[in-house]
Amino acid sequence: MLSILLVFGLVAAGCGNDDDDEPGAAPAADDAQAADDAPAPDDAPAADDEPAAADEMNMTPGEGVSVTMARANWTTGYMQAAIYHHLLEELGYEVSEPADLELAPANAYVAMAEGAFDFWVNSWYPNHDPFLNGEMPDGSLVNEHVSVVGSEMLAGGLEGLMTNKSLVDEHGITTFDQIVNDDALFELYESTDPNPGDGVLQILGCIEGWGCYVALAETIELAGYGGKVEQLEAGGYDAVIAEAVSRAESGTPFIAYTWTPSGYVTQLIPGVNAMWLAHEADKVHDGSTDNPGFAVDAPASLGTDVCTNDPCWLFRNSADIKVTANNDFLTANPSAARLFEVVQISVVDVALQNVLYDGGENTTDDVNRHASDWIADNRDTVDGWLADARSATEFMVTPAAAPAPDVPFRVAVVAPSASNDLAFTQSMVDAVNALLDAGHISEVAITDGTFIVEDAGAAIRGYAEDGYDLVIAHGSQYGGPLQEIAPDFPDVSFAWGTAVDTFGIPNVNSYSVRSDLGGYVNGVVAAQLTESNVIGVIGPIEVGDAKLYVDGFAAGATAQNPDVEVNIVYTGSFADVALAAEAAQSHISAGADVLTGSAQMVVGATGVAQENGVLWFGTQANQTALGEDIVVASQVYRWEVILSEVVNQVKSGTLGGTTFIMTFEGGGLEIQFNDAMDIPAAVLDSAQATIDGLSDGSISTGQ
């Protein structure tokens, strides 16, 4: 109860901001004026005109209209989506369950503009502005097809750094800058950070791939702390908070990123065991990088009871949380559009619901119940909104304004197999094209089919000579030539994967993926669908993400059903389709009725599976097209989640030196089920529970 009351007081006082891509963009937190300036539901504006009498009003203007909505892939936005879902149903619309279509911002805006779904309520502006500049297949921009509507939660995000309250009180700490520049304080914090004694202060930062990571990294560089301060991810955000809470309880120094509204501030409680850590006014982001939207122009309205200084300058501004909707849908449904215009949700209410969610009330049914309870508690205000919406007769679209395009940024990809292999290469090709569509890069060049390493090396060098800003060597076999080529082009950034070695070369990044996570989920599902209790796995070579996937799949299957026999065969080749087909046939002859495999060769295995009516689980890309009647699910790599971070770092002048690891966090990995398959609801629920457990650390793949 103390935590809930403190959250209420904090959110009512705060001022903040959000991220480009958070939790594909991780939400930030409430602004100081949020509760004052963004009225709670009881203060919502009245209808412009007196609504028609009830007996003349169409109470269900949406009757007969099916609506598809999405929600963002961060839990602090779930309840808002459920509230709008229920309100539209009261207007008679038939609305899809938001949990059925959960997206990261990188995918959502183009899909919405194309009409794949009608709206979502999880836009964070200005942080999501760049997505409005994405290009559509016909050459138009996303902003020409969608509109930003209403004032759902103005100044609804607050995010910044926290540190120990005990140390703030003991040492009179007022700003982050004081810790960095005071030798005694710096030594105190650095001596107990995750890598003590290296002369660099590692702070528990934002998740790589989220906009907050880029904003904080740029803030550190602009403040002149490059080489002295760095963010260090602790294996997912739940792990970051767990580490920070442990340090707060023991009195061990920590500096950690967090945001509100979220349940995290019921563990790191400002004014109790932690304090928001202010920056000097001249050390916040000034907008001088390629991300001018990161500029901070106002302090948070937080007093010295919860912040180390007044004024409390945090490293992000506040963000407005709003509805974005497809223009055709808005025009055709004025009642829905008017509802979007008038609904306002208190950030305090969202924070309190986050406490319930983080406390274990975290199923779809729980979220819908929270939304229903909120509507019941605010019935008078809600009825006013609904009456206003029922009286609407037309809606005039005001297309969203697109931001100015980024400066030209050219990316080249060299990959071992075909661009449409439905596996390793296609996953990267799809990613760079997603960044192109979103306006983050201006040009993409692809050289595929370079199984011969020497050919790949020639292509890598050629792109560097042509002055591409980022050259991606998408294959672990390309490390040798990359070590020779990269030093010759110090102004070009290179990235390669899947690998974790940057060779100590300052313009080389590496990237990898926890493919064992999706493998584990696929294994859990496969163990429930097999009837013979025999599953066959076809691996290429025992290295990289292929081996991780195979090991994760086997672990998940046996954890789900210890009686399942998982037979694994490695062909010794990434590309030999015939060997994959032979391996698949051998598994089927041994009784397997479910198969899976990794790498470009799997087309041979899926062909055999199709002929024998054997189920298939894919990885790297969505492999449904290889057999709509046999492919159950695919682990999909969304490399754009970490590539957006690579691109942002290169734009800010950091050309290399970082290893990026992709997980479920931020939408980097997705399990995509084949809609044509009749998969039992209990199996789907177990898959989601497994994903949640892998994300929060309660389930381990053993890798």
Side-chain angles (χ1 to χ4, degrees):
M1 181 58 68
L2 172 62
S3 297
I4 292 175
L5 291 173
L6 287 164
V7 170
F8 186 93
L10 170 67
V11 177
C15 173
N17 185 321
D18 125 299
D19 298 307
D20 261 59
D21 263 334
E22 290 180 30
D30 181 352
D31 190 49
Q33 297 297 336
D36 298 328
D37 297 341
D42 290 339
D43 300 320
D48 293 338
D49 302 308
E50 187 69 23
D55 58 354
E56 300 175 2
M57 183 182 296
N58 181 0
M59 301 299 288
T60 55
E63 186 172 359
V65 178
S66 295
V67 179
T68 302
M69 67 176 293
R71 74 180 185 189
N73 61 340
W74 52 86
T75 61
T76 53
Y78 285 179
M79 188 179 76
Q80 299 93 293
I83 288 171
Y84 281 82
H85 171 268
H86 293 329
L87 294 180
L88 283 174
E89 286 190 327
E90 291 199 36
L91 292 176
Y93 291 97
E94 181 181 339
V95 190
S96 67
E97 166 57 51
D100 292 343
L101 186 58
E102 186 169 298
L103 299 171
N107 328 94
Y109 287 86
V110 170
M112 190 190 316
E114 290 178 331
F117 68 96
D118 298 311
F119 77 99
W120 79 349
V121 303
N122 298 126
S123 291
W124 290 66
Y125 295 115
N127 301 45
H128 290 181
D129 280 352
F131 298 111
L132 299 176
N133 205 36
E135 186 172 341
M136 305 290 290
D138 63 1
S140 63
L141 299 181
V142 168
N143 76 296
E144 299 174 50
H145 303 275
V146 302
S147 293
V148 181
V149 189
S151 52
E152 172 189 343
M153 199 181 304
L154 299 181
L158 174 70
E159 59 185 318
L161 301 178
M162 284 190 176
T163 191
N164 315 64
K165 183 179 188 301
S166 60
L167 296 182
V168 170
D169 294 341
E170 180 181 353
H171 297 281
I173 297 171
T174 57
T175 64
F176 176 59
D177 315 273
Q178 180 184 351
I179 294 173
V180 176
N181 292 315
D182 183 294
D183 291 342
L185 282 176
F186 184 86
E187 182 178 356
L188 174 67
Y189 277 82
E190 196 278 331
S191 65
T192 60
D193 72 11
N195 295 308
D198 63 356
V200 179
L201 175 58
Q202 282 95 21
I203 64 177
L204 301 171
C206 185
I207 303 299
E208 293 184 12
W210 295 3
C212 53
Y213 185 93
V214 181
L216 183 53
E218 291 189 358
T219 299
I220 289 169
E221 289 298 318
L222 290 171
Y225 304 145
K228 195 173 183 180
V229 178
E230 66 182 9
Q231 298 181 74
L232 186 68
E233 183 184 335
Y237 200 67
D238 287 335
V240 169
I241 292 299
E243 174 69 14
V245 170
S246 174
R247 287 170 171 264
E249 291 174 349
S250 66
T252 305
F254 76 89
I255 298 174
Y257 162 85
T258 194
W259 74 87
T260 64
S262 75
Y264 293 124
V265 291
T266 66
Q267 302 174 65
L268 289 179
I269 307 172
V272 177
N273 63 352
M275 297 286 282
W276 291 106
L277 183 56
H279 299 255
E280 297 288 350
D282 61 350
K283 298 296 186 181
V284 294
H285 204 297
D286 61 5
S288 60
T289 69
D290 290 329
N291 294 296
F294 290 163
V296 179
D297 53 26
S301 297
L302 297 171
T304 53
D305 56 333
V306 294
C307 183
T308 58
N309 199 34
D310 188 6
C312 183
W313 288 91
L314 301 180
F315 77 91
R316 301 297 299 272
N317 274 328
S318 60
D320 293 333
I321 303 173
K322 295 186 175 184
V323 177
T324 306
N326 178 278
N327 288 340
D328 291 339
F329 173 77
L330 292 171
T331 302
N333 296 278
S335 292
R338 183 58 181 160
L339 182 73
F340 298 161
E341 287 185 311
V342 298
V343 170
Q344 293 180 321
I345 301 172
S346 166
V347 292
V348 172
D349 292 343
V350 174
L352 296 177
Q353 187 270 344
N354 293 164
V355 173
L356 297 176
Y357 188 95
D358 294 337
E361 297 181 26
N362 54 15
T363 68
T364 298
D365 287 343
D366 287 331
V367 173
N368 281 315
R369 175 170 46 80
H370 297 157
S372 296
D373 290 346
W374 184 91
I375 290 171
D377 290 342
N378 296 280
R379 190 74 253 180
D380 289 345
T381 301
V382 166
D383 285 343
W385 294 338
L386 294 173
D388 200 352
R390 289 173 178 127
S391 66
T393 58
E394 64 177 350
F395 180 81
M396 299 299 295
V397 165
T398 304
D406 287 339
V407 296
F409 191 94
R410 304 165 70 214
V411 175
V413 177
V414 179
S417 52
S419 295
N420 61 349
D421 66 357
L422 291 176
F424 187 69
T425 294
Q426 183 168 337
S427 68
M428 180 57 70
V429 171
D430 288 347
V432 292
N433 283 327
L435 294 185
L436 181 66
D437 291 341
H440 294 311
I441 59 181
S442 58
E443 180 183 335
V444 170
I446 307 288
T447 296
D448 59 3
T450 54
F451 285 107
I452 299 175
V453 173
E454 290 78 7
D455 293 343
I460 293 167
R461 181 175 292 277
Y463 284 127
E465 290 174 344
D466 287 344
Y468 277 78
D469 298 284
L470 173 64
V471 179
I472 300 171
H474 191 51
S476 57
Q477 63 268 51
Y478 299 155
L482 193 61
Q483 289 184 73
E484 298 177 4
I485 296 168
D488 295 340
F489 301 92
D491 296 329
V492 175
S493 176
F494 298 86
W496 78 299
T498 57
V500 294
D501 191 357
T502 63
F503 315 117
I505 302 174
N507 59 329
V508 173
N509 291 299
S510 62
Y511 56 87
S512 192
V513 56
R514 284 290 308 278
S515 55
D516 56 306
L517 299 174
Y520 192 98
V521 178
N522 277 354
V524 166
V525 175
Q528 297 174 77
L529 298 183
T530 178
E531 296 180 357
S532 67
N533 271 3
V534 179
I535 298 174
V537 182
I538 303 105
I541 299 173
E542 292 187 71
V543 295
D545 67 302
K547 184 178 188 306
L548 274 177
Y549 174 76
V550 169
D551 292 345
F553 183 95
T558 54
Q560 177 66 32
N561 182 359
D563 294 331
V564 165
E565 178 183 339
V566 180
N567 298 321
I568 300 171
V569 171
Y570 282 97
T571 66
S573 170
F574 287 102
D576 196 319
V577 173
L579 284 177
E582 291 176 11
Q585 189 60 63
S586 296
H587 281 312
I588 294 171
S589 297
D593 60 354
V594 175
L595 296 177
T596 190
S598 180
Q600 303 87 345
M601 61 168 185
V602 297
V603 292
T606 55
V608 172
Q610 181 88 20
E611 292 172 1
N612 290 272
V614 169
L615 298 180
W616 177 264
F617 287 81
T619 187
Q620 299 177 333
N622 190 320
Q623 295 178 349
T624 302
L626 295 176
E628 291 190 357
D629 54 345
I630 62 162
V631 177
V632 177
S634 302
Q635 172 178 231
V636 177
Y637 296 174
R638 307 207 72 94
W639 291 116
E640 62 267 28
V641 170
I642 59 172
L643 281 186
S644 62
E645 171 67 9
V646 176
V647 169
N648 285 331
Q649 284 198 9
V650 175
K651 288 180 178 180
S652 66
T654 303
L655 301 187
T658 302
T659 295
F660 300 86
I661 307 295
M662 193 161 65
T663 68
F664 284 126
E665 299 283 353
L669 291 180
E670 289 184 357
I671 301 297
Q672 295 183 1
F673 285 92
N674 177 2
D675 292 338
M677 298 288 288
D678 185 15
I679 304 170
V683 174
L684 296 175
D685 289 343
S686 73
Q688 185 58 55
T690 303
I691 293 170
D692 293 342
L694 291 168
S695 298
D696 65 25
S698 60
I699 298 175
S700 172
T701 69
Q703 302 304 307

